[in-house]
C-alpha cells in the first residue's frame, strides 16, 4: 500500500514466508483431522458436520470503512492484520474473508488477499482457482441457464416468456463483450433467439444464495426459490418449477464446505464465497462465519464498501437470517480518504492539508453514527500510509477522542499484525469487546419495500427522500402482488458517496436518492434497489494485468501482486 | 451395461466399495509422498518433477474398438477391467483415461468413469468438477477470448478482423443456445459487435494443447502458437501476438499435473485431460501417459471412437510428437455391434442372428487390418453382454482364430477385472506383449495435407477418394501459404461408419469422403479435416439427466450412473 516502489511486492513477501502445513493450522484451531479435506499442502476444506460441538460461540468483529477512495482503504489487509494482532494478544482468533474473483485479478487488481505483512496465503492459489468454489458456482448457475433455454426449446410447458428471462449466465471473467448478447441464433434446431447477457460470477444470485445459506438443506431450499423469469401471463417462474435445485445443490456439494488457509502470522483463516457488494450483500459465507464462531473466541470478518453499504447489509440482511451479529464494528479510515472527502483531488492525497482533513471528518462522523444506530460501538482504525504525517494522524485521533469513539493507528501493511503493527488497535477492539453492543436491525421486515429504502436513505445515508422511476414504481406493485414485500432491501449504490452520485463526497445532506429499478432476488431473499448506473460484468482495461502474468522458470506465478 | 434393471447401478456398486486412502495407492505405484498433492482423501495431483527417475518405461496397451453402436461398446469399462486383470496377473499396471465432461453427464450420460465392477473411483467426484482441470482450461480459454475482444475494443493495434476471429469461448455444459450468438452489443462503450459462439470445453484448442504438451514449457510454447483469427489483410494472429500465453499457462499451472485415483480393484489410475475425439485427438494427456509409463510396467489407455479414428490419431498425432507408442492395440468388439453392422436394426440387437453376425465381421476385419498397418498386433476383446449367446461369442472367436488374431471374451462389467472377468483377455494381451509390434505412422509429415487425408481415407477407411469443397480447396492453399502444410491431419468424421455418412455401416468400399472445411489448430499442431455435420456444442435432450440429480439426506449425489 505505502511506498510500494522501495519495498518488496506482496508476492515477494508471500514467497519469503515458510508456510505451516494446513494440518497444523487446523489442529491449532481445534479442527479434528477427520474434518479436513486437503487441497494440496496449504489449503483444506472443512467438513462442518465433523466438528466438535462448541461450548460457546465466538464474538464477531466486523471490519467496515468510511466512504473509500477508488484505491480502497485496505480493509482486507486490516482484517488480516487485526486478527493477527488479536492472536498475538493471546486470543483464539480466526479470520473470515471473501474469496477473490478471477475477473478483477486479471483486469487491474492482480490479487485480493490482503497486502504487505498482512496477507492470507498461499496467495498464488487463493487468487487463482483456489479450491474451485467459484467454478462450481459458475457451473450451477450456467446449468440452470442451459436448463431454462432447453425447456423453452423443448415445448416450453411452463410458458416461459423468452423476453422475460431475468436469470443470466455468468463467467468469472471481466469480459465486456458478453454484457449484451443475442443467443439461440442459427435457426429452429439451434434454439430460440432472445436477448441475454453474462454477469461476472460474483454477481450471480447463486453466489448470494451460497453465501446466505446456513447449511446444505437451506442452500437447496434457497436455490429452489430463485425466480428465473416470468411466463407469458407474467407469473414468476422459479427454479423449483423447473426442478433444477437438486442438480444445482449437487454441483455445489463440495464448494459449500468452507476453506481453511493461514495468514502470514499463522492465524487460521476461512475464505469462502464472495458476492458482489452492490447487487448483493458483499461478505463471505454465513457457513464460514458461523464455523469460525464455533472454533474461535473472536472472528474478524469484513463487509464490502463503506459502512453505509457493507455494515448496513451485514446487519439488515446477513445477521437477520443467520446468527452472526457483530459485537464490534471497526471503521477503517485513512488520512488520504478524509482529505479526499475534504476536497483534495485524488492525485494530491499525499500532500499534507490540515484544513481538508478537518473538512473530511463529517464523512467519518456519519459512518460512526450509522454503527451506533445498529446498537454497536465503532472502533476507528486509522490505516497508516507512509505519506501520512504524525500531525495528520493525531488530528484524526483527537477528533475521535472528542467524539467519544475508540480509535488507534495501525500499520499492519508495513509492520504486520504478527509484528507490532496492530497492537494498539487490538487493545481498543478488546476493550470494546468488554462491553459489546446489542446488534439491532434498522427496519422491520413488515415495512413496505419503498419505506425500507426510505429508512436506509434517511437514517444511514443522511438523505432527505427517495424518488422511484416509473419502472421502479410498477415493480414495487409487482413485488407486493407476488408476495415478496416482506424481504429486506439490498441497496445497489455507489460506494464513493452517501448519495447516488459518486462525485458527491464528504457528508452531503438533503439529497434525493433515485431508484431506477428493483430486482427481486427471491432465492437470496432480498430486493435489490438499483440506483444509478450499475455494472454486473466489468471490462478489462487497455493494459490488463493479465498480460504481465506468467510462470517463471521454476513454474511459479509472476505478475500477481 | 447388461441386465442393468436387475443388478445394482454403477453408483450403488461404487458406494459399496471401501476406498483405500490415495496415499496407499500412490505408495503401491511407487509415487513418493512428497510428489502428492492431496485433493480430499481419494484424489491427488502428482508433481511429476518429484518422481524418481525411471529405470525402464512401461509398455502402452491402447484400447480401441470397432465402429460402435450409439450406446458405445464399453471401451472405458474394458480399459479399467483389463488393467485390473493385468494387475491381478501380478503385473505392475496403471490406467490412463480421459476426464469426463460435465456437459454430457448432465445431458444423457449421467457419468463416464467405466461401469459395473470396472470403474474408477470416487465416481461422484470424478464426474463432478474432479480436481478442477476442466474449469482451469475453460478459464484459460475464456481469458484469451476476453483479451481478444478487449484488444479489438481498445484500438485494435494488431488489426484483427472481428469477422475473422476463429477462436471461440467455451463452457463445460451442453448449451444449445450458445452455439450461435452475437456479442458486443449495447453501443460503443460495451464492445464491438460480432458473430460468435461457445463450444463445449472438450472442443477447446486449449484442451488439445493441454493433452499434447510434454511439460509446462511445451504447454506455454503450444499455447503461444494457437491461431486466434486473421487480420484485415488476412494474416494469421497468434496468442503470442497478443502476449496471452503467459497468463494462460499460469491459469493451467495446477491443472497440468496428472490426477491419481483408483479402480474398484485398487489399481492406480491417472485421469487427466479429455479432448473431443472428432475435432481433436480424443485421448488423455501425454503427461498422464508418460507419467504412467515411468511408474508402471504396463499402461492401459484408451482412444475415443473406433480404431479408424481413435487409434489412427493416437499413432499419427499423439505418438508422433510424444514417446507413447503402443505395443499392443486391443479392439473392443461386441456381438451387438457386429450384428448391427450386419444389418440388424438398433432395437433388435439382443436377438440372436447368426447370419447378421457373419455379415458384420468385415467391420472388425478392416479395423484389424488398420492396426496391422500401424505395425502393431491387435487383440480382439469381445465385451460380453448378458444377451449374447455362447454360439455368437464362439462365432466371433472362431473368426479371429481363422484370421490369426488373438481374441478373448471378457465380462469386466459383470465380474470385474479384479474378479475373473478379464483373466483370459489379460493372458492374450500379455502374450501379445511378448512379441510387441513396432509402431509406425501412416504417412510422413512432408506429404501435402490433401494427400495425408487421401492416405487415411484409402489405407484406413477403405475408401476410394476424397472430394474437397471449394472452401476446403481455398483453405488448402492458405494452409500452405501460412506454412502449416507440415502438420498432421485430425479427421473429424462420424464414428459410426468408415464413410462420412453415419448410416453406411459394415465395411463399405469405393466411397468418396467429402471434406467440407479445414481448421488449422496450430497450437495443438494439427489440421482438422471436417467431414459432414459437426457439433462442437451439444444440446440437452427433452428430459435431461440433470433433472434426476440431487443430494440425498446424507448429502450424497443421486442420479449419477
Amino acid at each position: 500500500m505505502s511506498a510500494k516502489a522501495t519495498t518488496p511486492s506482496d508476492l515477494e513477501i508471500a514467497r519469503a514466508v515458510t508456510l505451516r502445513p494446513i494440518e497444523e493450522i487446523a489442529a491449532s484451531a481445534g479442527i479434528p483431522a477427520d474434518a479436513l479435506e486437503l487441497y494440496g499442502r496449504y489449503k483444506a476444506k472443512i467438513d462442518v458436520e465433523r466438528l466438535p460441538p462448541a461450548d460457546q460461540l465466538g464474538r464477531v468483529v466486523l471490519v467496515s470503512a468510511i466512504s473509500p477512495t477508488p484505491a480502497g482503504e485496505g480493509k482486507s489487509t486490516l482484517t488480516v492484520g487485526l486478527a493477527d494482532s488479536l492472536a498475538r494478544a493471546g486470543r483464539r482468533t480466526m479470520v473470515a474473508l471473501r474469496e477473490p474473483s478471477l475477473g478483477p485479478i486479471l483486469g487491474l487488481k492482480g490479487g485480493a488477499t490482503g497486502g504487505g505483512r498482512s496477507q492470507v496465503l498461499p496467495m498464488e492459489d487463493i487468487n487463482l482457482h483456489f479450491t474451485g468454489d467459484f467454478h462450481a458456482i459458475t457451473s450451477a448457475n450456467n446449468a440452470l441457464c442451459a436448463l431454462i433455454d432447453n425447456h423453452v426449446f423443448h415445448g416450453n410447458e411452463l410458458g416461459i416468456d423468452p423476453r422475460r428471462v431475468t436469470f443470466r449466465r455468468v463467467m468469472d471473467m471481466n469480459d465486456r463483450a458478453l454484457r449484451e448478447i443475442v443467443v439461440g441464433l442459427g435457426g429452429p434446431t439451434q434454439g430460440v433467439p432472445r436477448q441475454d447477457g453474462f454477469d461476472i460470477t460474483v454477481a450471480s444470485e447463486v453466489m448470494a444464495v451460497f453465501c446466505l445459506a446456513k447449511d446444505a438443506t437451506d442452500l437447496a431450499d434457497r436455490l429452489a426459490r430463485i425466480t428465473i423469469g416470468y411466463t407469458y401471463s407474467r407469473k414468476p417462474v422459479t427454479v423449483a418449477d423447473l426442478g433444477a435445485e437438486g442438480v444445482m445443490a449437487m454441483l455445489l456439494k463440495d464448494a459449500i464446505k468452507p476453506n481453511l488457509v493461514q495468514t502470514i502470522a499463522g492465524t487460521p483463516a476461512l475464505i469462502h464465497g464472495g458476492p458482489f457488494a452492490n447487487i448483493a450483500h458483499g461478505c463471505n459465507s454465513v457457513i464460514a462465519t458461523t464455523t469460525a464462531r464455533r472454533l474461535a473466541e473472536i472472528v474478524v470478518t469484513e463487509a464490502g464498501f463503506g459502512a453505509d453499504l457493507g455494515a448496513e447489509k451485514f446487519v439488515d440482511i446477513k445477521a437477520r437470517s443467520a446468527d452472526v451479529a457483530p459485537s464490534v464494528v471497526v471503521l477503517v479510515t485513512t488520512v488520504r480518504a478524509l482529505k479526499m472527502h475534504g476536497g483534495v483531488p485524488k492525485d494530491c492525497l499525499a500532500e499534507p492539508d490540515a484544513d481538508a482533513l478537518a473538512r473530511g471528518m463529517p464523512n467519518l462522523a456519519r459512518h460512526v453514527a450509522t454503527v451506533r444506530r445498529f446498537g454497536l460501538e465503532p472502533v476507528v482504525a486509522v490505516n497508516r500510509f507512509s505519506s501520512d504525517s504524525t500531525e495528520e494522524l493525531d488530528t484524526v485521533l483527537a477528533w475521535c477522542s472528542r467524539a467519544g469513539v475508540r480509535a488507534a493507528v495501525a500499520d499492519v501493511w508495513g509492520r504486520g499484525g504478527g509484528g507490532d503493527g496492530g497492537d494498539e488497535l487490538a487493545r481498543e477492539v478488546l476493550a470494546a469487546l468488554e462491553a459489546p453492543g446489542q446488534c439491532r436491525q434498522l427496519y422491520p421486515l413488515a415495512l413496505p419495500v419503498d419505506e425500507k429504502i426510505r429508512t436506509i436513505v434517511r437514517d444511514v445515508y443522511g438523505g432527505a427522500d427517495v424518488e422511484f422511476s416509473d419502472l421502479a414504481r410498477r415493480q414495487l406493485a409487482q413485488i407486493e402482488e407476488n408476495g415478496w414485500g416482506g424481504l429486506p432491501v439490498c441497496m445497489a449504490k455507489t460506494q464513493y458517496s452517501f448519495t447516488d452520485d459518486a462525485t458527491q463526497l464528504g457528508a452531503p445532506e438533503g439529497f434525493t436518492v433515485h431508484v431506477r429499478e428493483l430486482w427481486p432476488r427471491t432465492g437470496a431473499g432480498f430486493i435489490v434497489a438499483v440506483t444509478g448506473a450499475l455494472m454486473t460484468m466489468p471490462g478489462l482495461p487497455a493494459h490488463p494485468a493479465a498480460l504481465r502474468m506468467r510462470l517463471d522458470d521454476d513454474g511459479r506465478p509472476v505478475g500477481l501482486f
Side-chain angles (χ1 to χ4, degrees), chain A:
Chain A
M1 189 176 306
S2 55
K4 283 208 175 177
T6 57
T7 50
S9 75
D10 290 353
L11 183 56
E12 284 162 343
I13 291 172
R15 287 249 174 91
V17 174
T18 304
L19 286 171
R20 291 166 60 194
I22 199 66
E23 295 97 325
E24 271 185 33
I25 300 291
S28 76
I31 303 168
D34 76 340
L36 275 196
E37 295 177 11
L38 302 183
Y39 279 65
R41 291 178 177 72
Y42 307 113
K43 301 165 284 178
K45 281 197 167 278
I46 299 176
D47 186 343
V48 176
E49 307 286 324
R50 290 170 189 257
L51 291 181
D55 312 334
Q56 207 181 341
L57 295 180
R59 293 256 170 82
V60 175
V61 173
L62 177 65
V63 177
S64 189
I66 63 168
S67 307
T69 65
E73 306 322 295
K75 263 198 323 278
S76 302
T77 304
L78 199 120
T79 302
V80 173
L82 172 58
D84 286 343
S85 301
L86 290 166
R88 186 172 135 96
R91 310 303 285 257
R92 206 149 37 81
T93 309
M94 210 154 180
V95 179
L97 277 180
R98 283 177 286 176
E99 301 182 48
S101 167
L102 187 60
I105 289 169
L106 298 185
L108 273 173
K109 285 179 101 168
T113 44
R117 304 278 332 150
S118 294
Q119 300 184 49
V120 280
L121 304 177
M123 75 92 98
E124 300 97 316
D125 292 4
I126 301 172
N127 280 316
L128 301 174
H129 309 306
F130 198 21
T131 57
D133 295 344
F134 282 20
H135 292 315
I137 290 166
T138 303
S139 286
N141 184 106
N142 292 344
L144 174 57
C145 294
L147 289 166
I148 294 169
D149 277 306
N150 192 59
H151 180 92
V152 173
F153 178 79
H154 284 294
N156 199 7
E157 200 182 330
L158 292 170
I160 298 168
D161 184 345
R163 302 161 307 176
R164 289 193 170 85
V165 174
T166 50
F167 193 87
R168 289 156 59 97
R169 289 174 172 83
V170 297
M171 191 186 276
D172 192 10
M173 202 57 71
N174 283 14
D175 194 344
R176 183 187 295 106
L178 294 178
R179 279 180 196 154
E180 295 194 29
I181 68 178
V182 173
V183 300
L185 299 173
T189 62
Q190 309 295 321
V192 178
R194 64 181 183 86
Q195 270 188 279
D196 196 13
F198 278 69
D199 294 331
I200 189 164
T201 298
V202 294
S204 165
E205 185 172 357
V206 177
M207 177 67 85
V209 160
F210 180 92
C211 288
L212 286 167
K214 285 188 272 290
D215 51 36
T217 309
D218 189 29
L219 175 69
D221 290 348
R222 285 173 182 267
L223 290 170
R225 291 199 294 267
I226 291 175
T227 302
I228 62 99
Y230 300 86
T231 64
Y232 284 108
S233 53
R234 309 275 183 106
K235 296 277 170 269
V237 180
T238 65
V239 168
D241 294 331
L242 283 161
E245 68 274 22
V247 65
M248 293 172 75
M250 190 186 70
L251 288 168
L252 297 170
K253 77 179 172 68
D254 294 311
I256 198 67
K257 299 172 188 165
N259 307 296
L260 179 69
V261 291
Q262 62 192 289
T263 70
I264 286 183
T267 307
L270 294 182
I271 312 235
H272 196 224
F276 246 179
N278 54 10
I279 60 150
H281 59 293
C283 34
N284 61 262
S285 75
V286 160
I287 290 177
T289 312
T290 54
T291 302
R293 289 194 74 195
R294 288 172 64 178
L295 294 164
E297 203 180 333
I298 305 176
V299 178
V300 188
T301 190
E302 180 195 356
F305 295 165
D308 54 332
L309 291 157
E312 189 273 313
K313 293 177 186 188
F314 194 98
V315 170
D316 283 324
I317 297 173
K318 180 170 174 173
R320 196 192 294 265
S321 73
D323 186 16
V324 297
S327 295
V328 164
V329 176
V330 173
L331 283 174
V332 181
T333 304
T334 62
V335 166
R336 297 163 59 91
L338 290 170
K339 284 190 285 193
M340 186 188 73
H341 288 296
V344 176
K346 289 183 190 85
D347 306 338
C348 310
L349 294 176
E351 292 160 29
D353 189 332
D355 290 350
L357 185 60
R359 283 197 306 273
M361 296 309 302
N363 185 277
L364 173 58
R366 191 166 294 169
H367 288 292
V368 164
T370 292
V371 172
R372 288 182 167 154
R373 191 156 278 123
F374 295 138
L376 302 168
E377 265 305 300
V379 176
V380 171
V382 188
N383 192 14
R384 181 171 197 154
F385 278 61
S386 61
S387 59
D388 299 345
S389 71
T390 312
E391 292 71 31
E392 288 175 316
L393 295 166
D394 286 345
T395 302
V396 182
L397 293 179
W399 181 92
C400 290
S401 171
R402 283 196 304 278
V405 182
R406 294 184 183 281
V409 174
D411 182 10
V412 296
W413 189 88
R415 283 147 61 202
D420 61 354
D423 284 354
E424 270 183 72
L425 177 63
R427 272 195 293 277
E428 291 298 327
V429 168
L430 287 171
L433 280 172
E434 291 297 309
Q438 184 60 46
C439 179
R440 58 172 181 264
Q441 276 74 43
L442 191 67
Y443 54 82
L445 292 180
L447 214 59
V449 169
D450 56 339
E451 284 306 318
K452 288 172 191 160
I453 296 171
R454 279 200 187 85
T455 305
I456 296 170
V457 168
R458 285 183 189 141
D459 294 357
V460 173
Y461 303 168
D465 202 5
V466 181
E467 199 174 281
F468 292 89
S469 72
D470 289 350
L471 174 60
R473 264 199 297 269
R474 284 201 305 278
Q475 289 170 324
L476 278 173
Q478 286 158 9
I479 285 165
E480 288 301 326
E481 257 174 55
N482 289 323
W484 302 326
L487 295 175
V489 163
C490 180
M491 296 297 294
K493 179 184 71 71
T494 173
Q495 71 264 42
Y496 299 117
S497 171
F498 286 115
T499 77
D500 57 8
D501 171 359
T503 65
Q504 303 297 308
L505 305 182
E509 288 180 351
F511 57 86
T512 295
V513 166
H514 305 83
V515 173
R516 193 160 55 77
E517 266 188 81
L518 295 163
W519 298 351
R521 294 289 178 259
T522 52
F526 51 66
I527 306 289
V528 181
V530 180
T531 73
L534 191 62
M535 184 74 80
T536 52
M537 173 51 98
L540 289 170
H543 302 285
L547 293 181
R548 297 190 294 274
M549 294 175 183
R550 59 180 176 83
L551 295 175
D552 66 15
D553 291 343
D554 298 323
R556 300 180 312 180
V558 175
L560 294 170
F561 43 86

